[in-house]
Every structure is written in C-alpha cells, then in structure tokens.
Amino acid sequence: MRERGGMAECGGVPGQGGAQRQAAPGLGRRDLGRVAAALGTAAVLRPGRARAQRTRRTADGIAFPEVGPRAWAAQVPTLRIGISGGENEADRLGRYDGYRRLLEDTFQVPVRLYPAADFAGVGQAFAAGQIEVAQMGAAAFAGVWLDLLGAVEPLVAAEEEDGSLGYVAVMVVRADSGITDLAGMRGRSLAWADPNSTSGYFAPRAALRLLGIPTESGPYFSRTGFGGGHEQAVVAVLGRQYDACCTWSSPQGDPARGFNRGNLRAMVDKGLLDMRDLRVIWQSGIIPTGPIACRANLPDAFKEDLRRFLLALPAAHPEIYRQIERGGGAGFRTVTVADYELPIALRREEAAERRRR
C-alpha cells in the first residue's frame, strides 16, 4: 500500500432510555430555505450550468449493463475509485470489494480502490487526476466542484424508501449522560465528524447559528473539535472523550437498528454500537444526499454505463448495494449540480467567513 496525495491505493428504542428521536429544534426545510435565500443560491451555478436531463430511478427497472469491453476503455484503461473517510480503512475496503469485482467483471477493466484518510482526500485526488469516480457527501462534492470550477459531475444519489432524496444530521449523546436536548449541551463538549462533512459539520453548525448558539469553543460549548470521521466521533462519545457528536442518519427506519441507513446503522451492523447506549437530542431537516460523482471530462459513454450500472445495482446485486450504501433504501436516482445548490451556497459562505476572520 502506498500513500499518494492523501489517498492510499489498495488492490435506543423509545421507552428504553436509548436512541429515541427528541423534539429538539433543528434546521428544518423552511430554515434551509432561509439560509439558501440569504446566500443567494439563485446565482450559485456559475461554472457550466447542469444540462437538463430526465430523472431516472432504480424503480424504473433499469437493465443492468451487458458484460464486455467498452470503447471508452481507451480513455479509462483503469477505473480508480475514491472512498471517503469516516470509518477504518480495512472496513471500507471490505465493504467495497464486491463492488470493485463486479465493475471489473462487467466492464472488463481493472478497478482500483483509493481510500482517503479524510473527506478532503477525495477532493485532492480528483484535483490530481488520481481517481475517476467517488461517492461523496454533499458538502464534499460542493467543495470539490467549486475548487475545480465544475470539473466534477454528479451521476446518481441514493433515495430513501419513500423516494425522498436526502438524509439528516443528528447530534447524539450517551444515554446515561443526562443530556436530553440542546439546552443540556451548555458547558459540554461537542465533536464534529469531519471539516468537509455536510451532516457532521456544515449543516449542524448552520443550524446552531440560526438558533443563536455559538459553535466555537467557549461561549456555549466547553470545547468543540473534530473526531476524525463519523465512526470515530461516535466512538469518542461512547468513550467519554466528548459529550456529543454530529453524524449522519436516515430519517426513517427502526431506531433500535440505527434507522434505515447511515453511520449509526453501519456501526450497529458491524457490532460496534448498541443503540440503547445513545440518545439522539437533535435532528436537522433533510440534507440532499451526496452523489456518486466522476470527472466531468470523461467520455459520455462511460458516464452512461456507470449510471446504468448504479441504477440497476440494487435489484441486480442487492447485497453489494447494501454494502456500499450502509443499509437499505430505494436505490439510486440521477442527479445534476442543481440538486446541490444549497451545499454549494454553504461552502461559499464558509469561504467568505474565513476571509472575514
């Protein structure tokens, strides 16, 4: 294994005091609309507006691509896939191995996995031309799209069981902490997941500011810091290094199993978490699901093959789909840059704030 540009190449239940949802104030859809309006999202998409295209969904019954070599392989002789941080490297590689082998078998090209040390590593790899494709959070995609002036293109994103395109940020504490809402976090410590995570940093921070809660160490929270990834942040809360952390979750499903999909569900499935040990004290409104994206300069035939592969994957190979999506869902739908106007606006505001400091 070797490191290059931040990438490593590798061949509680209601009534039981556990992780129930609390009726705490969150960043709801109306608030998200206010944030978007305040940041001027009507003028967000400057570097190459997305082409209008008909939305396609897994539910449409897309046929799985036929097996065989492709003409686009002359331009993409090896398919290199970036994997964002958020859990340990061995688990990420294990989850993606079936996906890698299926891509190789289908398109008859070598496929390499590049796990990033953190969310920023994927953006660095795109910028360096080290990867063709990556699954990204909404804020990570927005940052790369802005940094590379539109040189990455979203292909598909995961749908929830009800057909919605989104997930939520949640703030979790230990169930035995005595903390039941945001007011109980005054004077306590909070871990963000990653500085490039929508659910683990950007969305909850924007929500707290709308509520008048300072997000830096001192005025409200005793300290804030980064947990080193979504999984690591939850582990830090369970290990009493922080009182709370922010991570991502489906807004649907069984709380005892970590809901339908997301970091909590993945940790439950791996035996790293018993949801009775956590309590959810805050939940955001819906955040647009991050895309599987590729370099925009790749052949259109490659993009269409990959879209078809992903749209058909949940029905044709459900276990591989479940592994890369960390749980269930309704499959994928096609997306464009227009679906990410809000995270792009939040990214622009973050950059403007840094310049003001």
Side-chain angles (χ1 to χ4, degrees), residues 236-279:
V237 170
L238 294 172
R240 301 176 186 272
Q241 295 167 274
Y242 284 92
D243 293 303
C245 74
C246 293
T247 188
W248 75 284
S249 174
S250 165
Q252 303 170 31
D254 182 2
R257 298 187 64 195
F259 307 96
N260 274 353
R261 54 190 292 269
N263 181 51
L264 300 176
R265 175 60 179 267
M267 292 183 71
V268 170
D269 287 349
K270 290 192 291 186
L272 298 176
L273 173 64
D274 184 330
M275 288 297 289
R276 290 174 295 185
D277 294 333
L278 289 182
R279 175 180 295 116

Side-chain angles (χ1 to χ4, degrees), residues 1 3 6-10 81-85 89 92-93 113-118 122:
M1 185 182 298
E3 293 288 340
M7 305 291 285
E9 179 183 353
C10 304
I81 299 175
I83 309 175
S84 296
E89 186 173 301
R92 278 182 285 163
L93 291 171
L113 301 178
Y114 288 74
D118 53 30
V122 167

Side-chain angles (χ1 to χ4, degrees), residues 85-88 119 170-174 189-195 197 199-201 223 225-248 263-264 267 272-273 278:
E87 65 179 327
N88 72 75
F119 282 32
V170 292
M171 187 182 296
V172 297
V173 298
R174 294 185 312 279
S189 58
L190 172 64
W192 311 113
D194 184 284
S197 170
S199 58
Y201 183 58
R223 64 184 173 97
F226 290 101
H230 285 268
E231 183 178 289
Q232 296 93 324
V234 173
V235 170
V237 170
L238 294 172
R240 301 176 186 272
Q241 295 167 274
Y242 284 92
D243 293 303
C245 74
C246 293
T247 188
W248 75 284
N263 181 51
L264 300 176
M267 292 183 71
L272 298 176
L273 173 64
L278 289 182

Side-chain angles (χ1 to χ4, degrees), residues 16 31 144 255 291 298:
Q16 295 184 10
D31 289 326
V144 174
L298 294 175

Side-chain angles (χ1 to χ4, degrees), residues 124-318:
Q124 293 163 6
F126 265 129
Q130 293 177 352
I131 58 174
E132 282 71 47
V133 177
Q135 188 163 16
M136 312 172 74
F141 169 76
V144 174
W145 189 86
L146 286 167
D147 289 346
L148 301 186
L149 302 177
V152 290
E153 179 177 337
L155 299 174
V156 302
E159 285 191 319
E160 286 291 345
E161 295 285 0
D162 65 354
S164 61
L165 186 69
Y167 62 105
V168 294
V170 292
M171 187 182 296
V172 297
V173 298
R174 294 185 312 279
D176 63 359
S177 66
I179 304 168
T180 59
D181 54 23
L182 286 176
M185 281 297 298
R186 184 181 290 274
R188 305 295 188 101
S189 58
L190 172 64
W192 311 113
D194 184 284
N196 289 286
S197 170
T198 320
S199 58
Y201 183 58
F202 283 98
R205 200 170 67 134
L208 291 169
R209 288 174 171 177
L210 280 172
L211 294 169
I213 298 176
T215 56
E216 66 273 17
S217 298
Y220 192 88
F221 302 107
S222 61
R223 64 184 173 97
T224 60
F226 290 101
H230 285 268
E231 183 178 289
Q232 296 93 324
V234 173
V235 170
V237 170
L238 294 172
R240 301 176 186 272
Q241 295 167 274
Y242 284 92
D243 293 303
C245 74
C246 293
T247 188
W248 75 284
S249 174
S250 165
Q252 303 170 31
D254 182 2
R257 298 187 64 195
F259 307 96
N260 274 353
R261 54 190 292 269
N263 181 51
L264 300 176
R265 175 60 179 267
M267 292 183 71
V268 170
D269 287 349
K270 290 192 291 186
L272 298 176
L273 173 64
D274 184 330
M275 288 297 289
R276 290 174 295 185
D277 294 333
L278 289 182
R279 175 180 295 116
V280 177
I281 63 167
W282 172 86
Q283 173 183 310
S284 75
I286 298 296
I287 298 166
T289 302
I292 296 177
C294 71
R295 295 207 317 267
N297 63 354
L298 294 175
D300 287 342
F302 167 81
K303 297 173 189 175
E304 179 56 20
D305 268 337
L306 192 55
R307 285 191 192 97
R308 286 178 55 209
F309 178 97
L310 292 162
L311 290 169
L313 181 67
H317 299 275

